[in-house]
């Protein structure tokens, strides 16, 4: 993505230099940020528009069928596992993971910016999830809840935060200069965590499958946006013309 950004900014710089008499070298970056914001806002608006299909009978049938299948496999062992995973996707879980990630970043990679970036992605996903829940106002499933919940249902905050946070960690892992085997193991582990957190919410009876899908989509939007902005900032700092 960084190479694509550099090519776009270079083309934009040449275009603006030819069109404007007084050319500001930071203008291409400002325009790129604005374009990125428009894309994200447009993506969220599209997400909200698609959310209207939640009230259709077809989706309700799919939700019921998938939920019935998942909870039919309830057992003491799986219940313990999914309760653990849903806690991993909760506030205290992220605090513990962030502390571990901070230690790894400082001791292994000698950089703390990765933790700051991951925290920002998580914060954006959490705040926007609360706003979306209030706007959409979907009630929780009317089945037995194996854990207590207090907020609204759509989109799933656990799924959205998991996709945003652990999805961003996947992006970072692809950048790390480590052995391919370790890199693949970490990516598979992170994907497993994302999926397990999402499935746990269905298994525990506190979310519809469509809540999870919506959370994953919204979380992915934040991953793409943040990766774009972070790469843009790095290009700006290393650009000799700014």
């Amino acid at each position: 993505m960084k190479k694509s950004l550099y090519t776009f900014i270079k083309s934009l710089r040449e275009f603006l230099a030819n069109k404007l008499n007084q050319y500001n070298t930071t203008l291409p970056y400002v325009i790129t940020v604005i374009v990125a914001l428009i894309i994200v806002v447009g993506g969220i608006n599209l997400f909200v528009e698609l959310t209207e299909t939640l009230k259709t009978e077809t989706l309700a049938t799919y939700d019921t069928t998938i939920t019935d299948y998942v909870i039919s496999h309830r057992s003491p062992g799986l219940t313990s596992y999914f309760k653990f995973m849903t806690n991993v996707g909760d506030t205290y879980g992220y605090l513990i993971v962030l502390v571990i990630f901070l230690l790894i970043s400082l001791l292994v990679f000698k950089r703390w910016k990765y933790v700051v970036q991951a925290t920002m992605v998580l914060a954006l996903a959490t705040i926007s999830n609360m706003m979306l829940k209030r706007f959409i106002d979907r009630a929780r499933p009317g089945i037995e809840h194996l854990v207590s919940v207090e907020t609204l249902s759509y989109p799933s905050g656990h799924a959205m935060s998991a996709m945003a946070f652990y999805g961003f960690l996947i992006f970072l892992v692809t950048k790390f200069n480590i052995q391919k085997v370790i890199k693949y193991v970490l990516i598979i582990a992170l994907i497993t965590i994302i999926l397990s957190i999402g499935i746990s919410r269905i298994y525990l009876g506190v979310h519809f499958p469509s809540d999870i899908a919506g959370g994953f989509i919204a979380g992915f939007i934040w991953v793409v946006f943040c990766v774009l902005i972070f790469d843009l900032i790095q290009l700006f700092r290393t650009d000799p013309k700014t």
Side-chain angles (χ1 to χ4, degrees):
M1 181 176 287
K2 193 180 297 183
K3 290 182 179 179
S4 300
L5 272 177
Y6 177 76
T7 302
F8 176 76
I9 290 171
K10 183 179 179 182
S11 300
L12 187 59
R13 175 183 289 137
E14 292 173 353
F15 174 80
L16 293 173
N18 292 329
K19 296 295 181 180
L20 302 177
N21 292 328
Q22 293 183 339
Y23 168 64
N24 189 331
T25 55
T26 63
L27 189 56
Y29 292 94
V30 174
I31 293 175
T32 305
V33 171
I34 293 173
V35 171
L37 286 172
I38 292 173
I39 291 173
V40 170
V41 172
I44 293 175
N45 286 334
L46 178 61
F47 166 81
V48 173
E49 290 294 330
L50 292 175
T51 299
E52 293 299 320
T53 63
L54 293 175
K55 300 175 182 178
T56 63
E57 288 294 330
T58 302
L59 187 59
T61 301
Y62 279 117
D63 274 342
T64 301
T65 301
I66 296 172
T67 299
D68 289 344
Y69 176 78
V70 172
I71 65 176
S72 69
H73 291 81
R74 282 178 175 175
S75 66
L78 278 178
T79 299
S80 297
Y81 172 74
F82 282 123
K83 281 186 176 180
F84 172 76
M85 293 310 304
T86 211
N87 288 331
V88 170
D90 217 333
T91 304
Y92 293 114
Y94 284 115
L95 287 176
I96 294 172
V97 174
L98 281 171
V99 170
I100 295 172
F101 186 42
L102 175 61
L103 294 174
I104 294 174
S105 296
L106 293 177
L107 297 176
V108 179
F109 300 106
K110 311 297 182 182
R111 291 185 178 183
W112 54 267
K113 74 171 185 178
Y114 295 136
V115 179
V116 174
Q117 290 176 347
T119 304
M120 288 178 61
V121 176
L122 179 60
L124 287 170
T126 302
I127 294 171
S128 60
N129 178 261
M130 292 188 291
M131 296 172 62
L132 287 170
K133 280 181 182 289
R134 288 178 177 272
F135 180 81
I136 297 168
D137 194 27
R138 189 187 197 188
R140 297 276 181 171
I143 59 176
E144 180 188 7
H145 296 174
L146 300 186
V147 292
S148 60
V149 287
E150 298 177 357
T151 58
L152 295 166
S153 191
Y154 185 93
S156 166
H158 277 70
M160 188 169 172
S161 296
M163 177 60 75
F165 180 75
Y166 292 108
F168 184 72
L169 290 189
I170 290 174
F171 165 74
L172 291 180
V173 169
T174 62
K175 294 177 60 177
F176 292 159
N177 186 22
I178 56 179
Q179 294 181 5
K180 286 187 177 181
V181 174
I182 298 176
K183 184 175 294 189
Y184 292 147
V185 169
L186 287 174
I187 291 174
I188 292 173
L190 291 170
I191 291 174
T192 301
I193 291 174
I194 294 172
L195 294 177
S196 293
I197 291 174
I199 295 172
S200 74
R201 306 306 284 172
I202 303 172
Y203 180 92
L204 298 172
V206 294
H207 274 296
F208 298 102
S210 53
D211 296 338
I212 307 305
F216 281 162
I217 293 170
F220 184 73
I221 291 174
W222 279 121
V223 172
V224 174
F225 174 73
C226 289
V227 168
L228 178 65
I229 294 300
F230 294 150
D231 280 350
L232 189 63
I233 292 173
Q234 186 174 353
L235 283 175
F236 179 78
R237 288 179 174 177
T238 56
D239 191 344
K241 295 184 179 181
T242 59

